[in-house]
């Protein structure tokens, strides 16, 4: 009886807060350093959907998960975020890169941490990415749940 009550309570709690388990996405950004030609990479950010909000609703966890389910064939595939507003994660990064006089800023997202690490391994293997992360950048708006360094190669 007590176990049944506990199970019902857990199910009710999960139903009341479904977004908690579904809110996270992983994102990273990079730019081209005008002096070296290398592409420094940010840390891996674990974000809530609101950090990527673009007004069109395109860059949401739900739509990215659907894209990944239908289009992703390799473990290193991530979804590039191409449009942005100045107040979201991508827009804030582009402003940072511009202020630092860097070029070709780009950001991407995924719902799968294994895809994020797969992307990292594949671009480091190309040789033009900088293993040293952009450690001094954090977005000022949007919810960042976690920031972590890339694993050593």
């Amino acid at each position: 009886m007590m176990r049944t009550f506990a199970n019902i309570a857990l199910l009710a709690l999960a139903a009341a807060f479904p977004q908690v388990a579904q809110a996270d996405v992983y994102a990273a950004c990079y730019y081209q350093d005008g002096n070296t030609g290398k592409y420094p990479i940010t840390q891996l950010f674990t974000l809530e959907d609101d950090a990527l909000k673009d007004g069109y609703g395109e860059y949401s966890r739900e739509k990215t998960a659907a894209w990944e389910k239908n289009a992703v064939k390799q473990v290193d595939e991530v979804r590039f975020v191409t449009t942005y507003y100045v107040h979201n994660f991508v827009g804030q990064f582009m402003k940072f890169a511009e202020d630092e006089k860097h070029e070709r800023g780009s950001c991407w997202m995924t719902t799968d941490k294994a895809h994020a690490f797969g992307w990292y391994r594949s671009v480091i293997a190309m040789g033009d990415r900088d293993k040293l992360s952009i450690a001094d950048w954090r977005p000022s708006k949007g919810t960042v749940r976690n920031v972590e360094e890339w694993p050593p190669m």
Side-chain angles (χ1 to χ4, degrees):
M1 174 88 160
M2 189 62 143
R3 186 180 299 178
T4 303
F5 178 74
N7 288 343
I8 292 171
L10 285 174
L11 287 173
L13 186 60
F17 298 102
Q19 69 278 8
V20 172
Q22 298 293 320
D24 294 339
V25 295
Y26 303 97
C29 300
Y30 58 89
Y31 58 71
Q32 184 176 27
D33 185 309
N35 296 321
T36 66
K38 295 275 189 178
Y39 291 84
I41 304 168
T42 63
Q43 307 87 340
L44 180 64
F45 289 88
T46 307
L47 307 170
E48 285 188 355
D49 271 344
D50 69 333
L52 291 161
K53 207 171 273 180
D54 67 352
Y56 301 104
E58 188 58 34
Y59 299 105
S60 66
R61 185 187 198 291
E62 180 181 286
K63 288 187 178 181
T64 298
W67 173 80
E68 289 169 335
K69 181 179 177 184
N70 295 319
V72 171
K73 306 286 188 257
Q74 304 293 325
V75 73
D76 63 348
E77 289 184 68
V78 293
R79 186 175 194 206
F80 286 89
V81 181
T82 57
T83 60
Y84 61 90
Y85 287 100
V86 293
H87 61 272
N88 77 356
F89 178 84
V90 180
Q92 290 176 70
F93 179 77
M94 297 304 179
K95 180 71 173 133
F96 164 78
E98 178 184 302
D99 290 348
E100 296 290 314
K101 309 284 190 264
H102 297 297
E103 302 173 356
R104 295 186 185 88
S106 186
C107 297
W108 55 261
M109 65 185 288
T110 182
T111 64
D112 187 335
K113 194 172 185 177
H115 283 259
F117 288 149
W119 176 87
Y120 177 68
R121 283 188 297 275
S122 71
V123 298
I124 290 299
M126 291 189 310
D128 65 348
R129 306 301 161 139
D130 194 340
K131 289 182 188 179
L132 300 173
S133 65
I134 304 168
D136 58 348
W137 182 74
R138 296 285 189 281
S140 61
K141 299 175 185 164
T143 305
V144 176
R145 291 186 175 270
N146 189 27
V147 183
E148 58 189 279
E149 294 297 322
W150 295 103
M153 299 304 290

